[in-house]
């Protein structure tokens, strides 16, 4: 029987020695006592370092909320609020003056606005990938980062939702986007991908919020049980009276599994639908069938870059080095390498099929993309998204926080440029050469773009202050001492001639 | 010790397993698989060659189109296996070790399946591919434009290179795995992991262009960037169907009963389900975007498949390749039930075959579906080759990677 | 109506005492204790742990959750609503020809249908879970116990309610101790009074 450790890491039961009876070696492999079981070939080290007890995890997660805020936090919050103010001013001026304050021109009717929209929706996707898809793939390392990544998803969706709202120019009729008839009895145009977007992104936001909140409930109860007075009441109300009941956990785990099962196709559908804003058109460079999976891969790519950027800062600021370990960064770097190559595959295929199609328009658009007036943007994109991430092949790069941080910023930049390249290069030289125009962003294009980061980081600062930033209950469940009944694996015996008595007889 | 670890099926595990129990026992009926396979191959391929080559031009056209469908059917299964094995190594998966050897045996067929493409390449190109006729290219500016890519020598080089890459990968990964049975060296696991990532890149590129070459260029004017992924999705799905069938058949035949649990079956079922959905995602993305933009150079593909009975085939695919199996495979109990999973796997294999038929045949029979004897014979023949290669690989070595360091993990894993 | 009030009001045993609360030191001990309590034939009892202990539901002999059916039903409802609404709007309520597409352009309606199905499924999963768990239940007699605060930190508890047919304050407490409980506590039903009467320790 294998060992189980008590809550303070002490052995409460000892391992009987593995018996040696003649030729028959009978050992049991328990999760708790056999390091080889977790890591038979040196590539699966413990997820959480320093063998913390359950209580240590609670402390590590709850302490940042219970300490008075640090000066660094205030500095971050104020800087973010300043940027948020900039966003407010930019949007206010936009509403006052109209869309003319942006650098849009006749062929380029979409530029920074929709670039920002797609960029932010994409950022959100890593959160859902971590919370849902990696959950379905039983990737337990996700537990250390899923809470923060899901929060990132929510805030990114908030940033994204600003842009379709403001780019129509007449915000007072924004309700035309809702599925209700207007004063003329007319309904929204359900055949339009822009309408699908409204549904996809708002439902994505809602489901992500539900997922996030469900994950939070046990941790809110943890904070409730550690605090007094008003704080206890507030956290108690949000914890809904959670009492860690196993009968509750049973439905809870099922709900979590269902949410993961639903969020997985949801996240694929959301960026697929975003891609259809472009791909359902007949515009060369926009209309190509690989867009849905290509956009999804790009979204996950950019989202992971943002997770890495944030986690490098967060683990340092809150001393979570033993929970968010270098192993986590290693995995995230590998996912970036994979998804970066997927977008590289799509870039290449787009060019090949543009040529293969034999369509003069397709060929022109792609030549123009790579060698036209926006070649600088195109090659920025390719360098940041395809060339630079190749550095992640090297273990040294994957295990250096400096490299990871720098490369993650490059990927964020590159993925922003990807959307810019797709949107602007296809528009700026349309079918009528007399209307060709070069898009230049105006000051307000830039302030709105930067201001959105203000919203994102303001929300993130508030999040790290008021909400448990690591899913404590989930991290506890992947600690080795969490296993209640270690499994025994049968030992595979060497073939011994004539020892048929070793064959397990009774079992079917 | 007394905890009921497995909610269904296998019952308590023995404390030790003898390696003899992990080999195909002497005298087991599966030793005859290669003979059975070769007989089927001889009958099917020999018969189809006889009927096809002696029956005039029409029969010859039919022969090569049918042969292509049959070969792509078994090739897709083996490519799915190669993909599966590579991904297991790249992700250092633990659960799948007990089914990995079965997948290795399936991918082991790849070098033999190359033989199926030899007659196609030597005799069939002219009957299959409009662009391979110089006079057709002469009168078609679009084909002249594409001639830099769509020409016979380059096409043959690409096909040869693809098979060479797949065969080398399949043989190397199988051999390393078998080597580990003997030595138990952990370095082999690490080496396979390191090589799996570049191998996956090669896999992605070769499969994409193979699909462009052998399927998309049947209609040389048509193009779709997602087409490689479409072929990949269906192929991997068909592999998981085969894996489920093989694993369940092995258990029924008294093999691996002590190592293959309901948990592994459940996971294979989940992957089958996932790829049913992934195929639908690819298929619908392609359809929606082409339908929506309504450009004549793209819609030609679907227009051709809305003629006569082809439209019925399309509807059957939408329902039978997605809607019905999706809801059928959704409940946990179905994936853990051997009979239900076997039924789903067989059904999906049939649907995958229909999918390939629907991709290839409208080029030959524009008026409507016309399945015939040659379709059946070539399918039997191709499956025979596959079966022979699979059976041959199966009996040469243990049925699970005996000394894979993660085997204990795989043996005891449980779904939450 | 009674269904709704039933959802909102927790089902609690009548009488002065809610039941017994026993603390264990590790998930493994809790696991074995649960097996013991299950085998002793108790029905109204529960385990409490700061995380879902793998396999504990089997040790407790719980039936599989029926939550997936709630979720599936609402997902189908969402999907039917989506396709129905779009179809009705485009063919009956205000038919318009747009970009030469048919009134009932089903391929264009699939995305919204799918999204609404996901929304329905997610709402069903979350609110179905809350309903099945009777949450929110902001107060519960178990919160009378000071020690129980650790159930969300590192404590592993087993509670047996007083309306269980097998329940007997002494014999049940003995059973729990035999099963390895570190501490057994009798929990009052009434909310804890101001400082003095905090969770009578048995």
């Amino acid at each position: 029987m294998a060992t189980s450790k008590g809550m303070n890491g002490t052995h409460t039961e000892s391992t009987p020695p593995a018996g040696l009876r003649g030729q028959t070696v009978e050992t049991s492999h328990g999760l708790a006592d056999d390091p080889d079981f977790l890591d038979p070939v040196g590539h699966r080290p413990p997820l959480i370092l320093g063998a913390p007890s359950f209580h240590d995890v609670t402390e590590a997660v709850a302490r940042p909320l219970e300490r008075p805020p640090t000066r660094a936090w205030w500095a971050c919050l104020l800087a973010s609020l300043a940027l948020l103010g900039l966003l407010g001013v930019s949007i206010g001026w936009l509403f006052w003056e109209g869309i003319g304050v942006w650098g849009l021109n006749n062929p380029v009717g979409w530029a920074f606005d929709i670039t920002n929209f797609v960029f932010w929706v994409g950022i959100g996707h890593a959160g859902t990938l971590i919370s849902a898809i990696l959950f379905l793939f039983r990737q337990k390392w996700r537990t250390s980062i899923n809470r923060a990544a899901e929060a990132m998803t929510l805030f990114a969706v908030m940033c994204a939702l600003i842009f379709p709202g403001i780019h129509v120019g007449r915000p007072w009729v924004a309700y035309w986007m809702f599925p209700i008839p207007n004063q003329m009895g007319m309904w929204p145009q359900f055949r339009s991908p822009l309408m699908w977007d409204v549904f996809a992104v708002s439902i994505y936001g809602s489901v992500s919020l539900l997922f996030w909140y469900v994950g939070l409930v046990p941790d809110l109860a943890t904070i409730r049980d550690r605090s007094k007075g008003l704080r206890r009441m507030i956290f108690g109300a949000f914890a809904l009276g959670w009492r860690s009941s196993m009968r509750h956990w049973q439905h809870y785990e099922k709900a979590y599994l269902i949410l993961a099962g639903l969020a997985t196709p949801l996240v694929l559908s959301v960026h697929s639908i975003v891609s259809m804003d472009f791909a359902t058109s007949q515009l060369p460079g926009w209309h190509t069938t690989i867009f849905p999976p290509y956009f999804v891969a790009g979204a996950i790519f950019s989202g992971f870059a943002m997770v890495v950027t944030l986690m490098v800062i967060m683990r340092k600021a809150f001393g979570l080095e033993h929970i968010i370990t270098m192993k986590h960064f290693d995995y995230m770097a590998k996912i970036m390498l994979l998804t970066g190559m997927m977008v590289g595959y799509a870039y290449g295929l787009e060019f090949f099929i543009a040529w293969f199609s034999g369509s003069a328009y397709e060929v022109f658009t792609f030549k123009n993309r790579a060698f036209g007036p926006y070649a600088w943007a195109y090659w920025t994109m390719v360098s940041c998204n395809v060339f630079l991430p190749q550095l992640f092949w090297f273990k040294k790069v994957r295990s250096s926080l400096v490299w990871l941080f720098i490369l993650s910023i490059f990927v964020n930049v590159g993925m922003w440029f990807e959307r810019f390249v797709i949107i602007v290069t296809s528009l700026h030289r349309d079918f009528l050469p007399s209307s060709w125009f070069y898009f230049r962003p105006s000051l307000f294009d830039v302030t709105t773009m930067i201001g959105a980061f203000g919203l994102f980081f303001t929300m993130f600062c508030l999040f790290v202050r008021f909400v448990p930033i690591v899913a404590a209950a989930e991290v506890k469940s992947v600690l080795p001492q969490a296993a209640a009944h270690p499994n025994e694996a049968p030992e595979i015996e060497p073939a011994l001639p004539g020892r048929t008595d070793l064959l397990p007889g009774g079992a079917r | 010790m007394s905890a009921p670890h497995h909610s269904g099926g296998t019952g308590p595990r023995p404390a030790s397993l003898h390696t003899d129990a992990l080999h195909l026992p002497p005298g087991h009926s599966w030793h005859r698989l290669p003979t059975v396979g070769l007989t089927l191959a001889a009958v099917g391929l020999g018969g189809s060659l006889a009927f096809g080559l002696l029956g005039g031009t029409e029969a010859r056209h039919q022969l090569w189109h049918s042969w292509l469908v049959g070969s792509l059917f078994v090739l897709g299964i083996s490519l799915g296996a190669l993909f599966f094995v590579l991904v297991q190594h790249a992700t250092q998966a633990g659960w799948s070790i007990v089914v990995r050897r079965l997948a290795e045996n399936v991918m082991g067929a790849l070098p033999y399946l190359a033989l199926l493409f030899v007659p196609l390449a030597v005799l069939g190109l002219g009957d299959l591919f409009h662009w391979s006729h110089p006079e057709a290219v002469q009168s078609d500016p679009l084909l002249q434009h594409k001639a830099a890519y769509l020409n016979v020598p380059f096409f043959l080089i690409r096909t040869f290179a693809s098979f060479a890459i797949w065969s080398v990968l399949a043989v190397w990964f199988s051999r390393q795995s078998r080597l580990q049975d003997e030595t138990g060296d952990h370095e082999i696991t690490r080496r396979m992991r390191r090589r799996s990532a570049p191998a996956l890149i090669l896999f992605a590129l070769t499969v994409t262009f193979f699909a462009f070459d052998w399927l998309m260029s049947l209609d040389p004017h048509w193009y779709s960037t997602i087409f490689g992924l479409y072929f990949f999705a269906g192929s991997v799905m068909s592999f998981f169907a085969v894996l489920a069938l093989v694993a369940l058949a092995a258990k029924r035949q008294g093999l691996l009963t002590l190592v293959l649990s309901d948990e592994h079956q459940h996971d294979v079922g989940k992957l089958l389900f996932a790829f049913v959905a992934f195929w639908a995602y690819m298929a619908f993305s392609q359809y929606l975007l082409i339908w929506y933009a309504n450009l004549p150079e793209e819609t030609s593909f679907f227009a051709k498949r809305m003629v006569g009975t082809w439209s019925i085939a399309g509807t059957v695919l939408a329902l039978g390749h997605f809607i019905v199996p999706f809801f059928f495979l959704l409940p946990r109990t179905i994936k853990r039930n051997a009979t239900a999973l076997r039924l789903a796997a067989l059904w999906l294999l049939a649907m995958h075959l229909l999918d390939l038929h629907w991709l290839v045949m409208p080029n030959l029979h524009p008026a409507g579906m016309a399945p015939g004897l040659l379709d059946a014979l070539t399918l039997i023949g191709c499956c025979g080759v596959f079966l022979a290669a699979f059976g041959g690989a199966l009996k040469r070595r243990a049925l699970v990677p005996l000394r894979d360091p993660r085997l204990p993990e795989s043996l005891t894993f449980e779904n939450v | 109506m009674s269904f709704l009030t039933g959802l909102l009001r927790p089902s609690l045993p009548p009488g002065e005492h809610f039941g017994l609360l026993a603390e264990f030191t590790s998930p493994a001990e809790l696991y074995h204790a649960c097996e013991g309590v299950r085998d002793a034939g108790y029905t109204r009892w529960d385990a409490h742990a700061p995380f879902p202990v793998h396999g504990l539901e089997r040790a407790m002999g719980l039936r599989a959750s029926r939550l997936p059916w709630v979720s599936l039903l609402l997902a189908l409802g969402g999907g039917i609503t989506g396709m129905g609404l779009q179809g009705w709007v485009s063919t009956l309520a205000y038919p318009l020809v747009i970009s030469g597409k048919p009134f009932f352009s089903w391929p264009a309606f699939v995305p919204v249908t799918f999204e609404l199905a996901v929304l329905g499924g997610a709402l069903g999963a979350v609110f179905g879970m809350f309903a099945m768990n009777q949450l929110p239940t902001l107060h519960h007699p178990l919160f009378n116990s000071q020690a129980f605060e650790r159930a969300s930190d590192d404590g592993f508890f087993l509670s047996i309610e007083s309306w269980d047919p097998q329940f007997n304050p002494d014999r049940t407490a003995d059973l729990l101790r035999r099963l390895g409980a570190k501490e057994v506590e009798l929990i009052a039903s009434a909310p804890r009074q101001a400082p003095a009467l905090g969770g009578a320790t048995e």
Side-chain angles (χ1 to χ4, degrees), chain A residues 116-130:
Chain A
N116 289 331
F117 164 68
V118 182
F119 173 75
W120 282 113
V121 180
I123 292 292
H125 277 44
T128 318
L129 182 104
I130 291 168

Side-chain angles (χ1 to χ4, degrees), chain A residues 60-61 64 314-325 469-470:
Chain A
V61 174
M314 201 176 91
R315 82 197 274 270
K316 184 87 196 142
F318 297 103
L320 295 172
E321 280 92 346
H322 60 301
I323 291 181
I324 303 171
T325 66
I469 49 178
V470 171

Side-chain angles (χ1 to χ4, degrees), chain A residues 40-41 43-44 138 191 272 282 287-290 341 345 349 355-357 487-488 490-491 493 495 508, chain B residues 9 14-17 19 92 145-146 186 190 193 201 208 224-226 267 281 292-293 298 406 409 412 415:
Chain A
V41 278
H43 286 285
R44 207 171 292 181
R138 294 191 288 266
R191 294 184 197 84
S272 298
Q282 298 174 335
H287 176 70
T288 185
T289 47
I290 205 169
M341 299 232 260
Y345 169 91
L349 224 50
W355 171 81
F356 183 81
S357 75
N487 279 315
E488 287 84 32
E491 184 78 358
E493 309 215 19
R508 281 168 292 131
Chain B
S16 64
L17 287 170
T19 44
Q92 307 167 49
H145 172 81
K146 299 186 190 202
H186 288 188
R190 288 192 206 106
R193 180 180 60 79
I201 298 175
T208 304
S224 171
T225 32
I226 208 172
D267 260 20
Y281 173 41
Y292 205 106
E298 290 181 345
R406 295 198 180 93
E409 185 181 342
T412 56
N415 283 288

